[in-house]
Amino acid sequence: GGREMAGYSKLLAVADLTSLFATYTSNKNRLKFAILTELNHPSAVENANTTPSKEEYDSKHLIGEKIPTLQLACLDASVALSPLLERFRTVILTSTTLSPIQFYPKLLSFEPRIIRSFEMSSFQPCVCPMVISRGSDQLVMSTKYADRAQLSVVRNYGSMLVELCSVIPDGVVAYFTSYSYMESLIQEWDAMGIMRELTKSKIVFIETLGDLERTTVTLDNFRLACDKGRGGVFFAIARGKVSESIAFDSHYGRAAIMFGLPFAYTLSNVLRARVEYGKVHLKIREQDYLSFDAVRQTSKCLANTLRSKMTDYSILILADARFNLNDKKSKLPSWILQFLPDHQLNLSTENATSIITNFLRHMGQPVAQGALRNILLTNDDLKFITGQSQTSATLKTKPDAAALSSATMPEGAVSSSSLPSVPEKVVSSV
């Protein structure tokens, strides 16, 4: 029964680990997996797929609570994708966070036939990204390990959050690089009276480390506060469960604030093994991989606040001076970069507040029907598309027609009859 098996839970875990190791260490994949030990906080063991951040390891209050964990680590991401590429002739990969898009073919070990990064087609600028790198006193703000504990940085981050929440309506999501850093900021802000000022404009909700049930209740209350018009600010963790799975669309996410660059902990045994594998087998430099991973996590967090370009809009705030650097900024998705002009870089809190006020005033205006008609399909367009689909289906049923005729294909497309009999891979970032 269940009670009898409960006594063997640890033995079953060992059996599962060894079974996985035997399954995925064949001759083909023997270099792509490794058995590693890692010192993890107990909550991290529950979510082994999440790479912990540097601060989760360095936080003094967690020393003594870390437990050694034996795990099977996949070092090559192409293992998951290769069966698809072998089985299907055409594979299309698309996501809003495939950025930089040129990095993925190397990371996933395939040669794409087509690679495209698309900007957002919109009748109005529904996204307002910006980089805030200076506080009210014009001092630089950054979460670099050497700077984050400085009193001026802590105070400026807190003052920035208070000012932004006073002008942005409804819900705001604030992402921090780690739980321990968020906790230290909250303690400092509370001592400075910043938390008290923040609650005058919004109710504060905080993601709980390792407690999914409590976090779910917190999310429900956050949505309720936004629905009732009181507004709320939700403190979440980059790489945490909320950032991985929860959408803050519509009025729940009128703004997303990223406090710093969420770099992974570089001394993690799993990360070190993956970086070493990338350097030796994929020719990926360590710094390139770490920057790619940090900006990818940032993009995932920011994308959670926008689900419809027709009725939704959001302010995306990158609060770290390092986002002004080209090697970080250029890795952001095209749909963010197209709305990020130079005058929205290296802003102070006052400049950012002025831009946000103008953006919200513009988004509050009635929709321009003429501009809306330019991006919507008319009845004639729908009839044309439907007719083309029917023509395509007819051609595909004829034994002597191997592909669509060029007249029925979009400009720039290639007839499948002209392609070699090898899988075609298409990568796109929207």
Side-chain angles (χ1 to χ4, degrees), residues 177-211:
T177 55
S178 72
Y179 185 86
S180 59
Y181 182 54
M182 179 184 71
E183 187 180 55
S184 66
L185 282 180
I186 292 175
Q187 290 175 349
E188 294 286 349
W189 289 346
D190 186 53
M192 296 177 182
I194 291 175
M195 293 300 294
R196 186 164 51 253
E197 288 295 318
L198 184 60
T199 55
K200 293 180 180 179
S201 57
K202 298 194 185 299
I203 303 175
V204 180
F205 302 88
I206 303 174
E207 178 180 359
T208 306
L209 178 65
D211 193 334

Side-chain angles (χ1 to χ4, degrees), residues 123-139:
F123 65 96
Q124 60 181 355
C126 56
V127 179
C128 181
M130 62 186 68
V131 178
I132 301 179
S133 54
R134 292 174 288 121
S136 301
D137 54 7
Q138 301 302 314
L139 294 178

Side-chain angles (χ1 to χ4, degrees), residues 13 75 94 98 142 156 181 261 274 299 307 388 396 416 430:
L75 309 180
T94 180
L98 283 178
S142 176
N156 282 333
Y181 182 54
L261 270 163
R274 288 174 178 165
S299 301
R307 285 295 181 268
Q388 296 287 45
K396 286 183 177 181
S416 61
V430 181

Side-chain angles (χ1 to χ4, degrees), residues 26 135 257 279 320 332 347:
S26 61
I257 306 172
K279 286 195 296 185
D320 194 303
L332 292 169
L347 299 175

Side-chain angles (χ1 to χ4, degrees), residues 1 6 43-45 58-59 90 95 135-136 149 158 163 185 193 220 230 232 237 256 295 357 368 399 402 410:
S43 63
V45 178
D58 291 340
S59 56
T90 301
S95 174
S136 301
E163 291 191 39
L185 282 180
D220 291 339
R230 176 63 173 84
I237 311 301
V295 178
T357 302

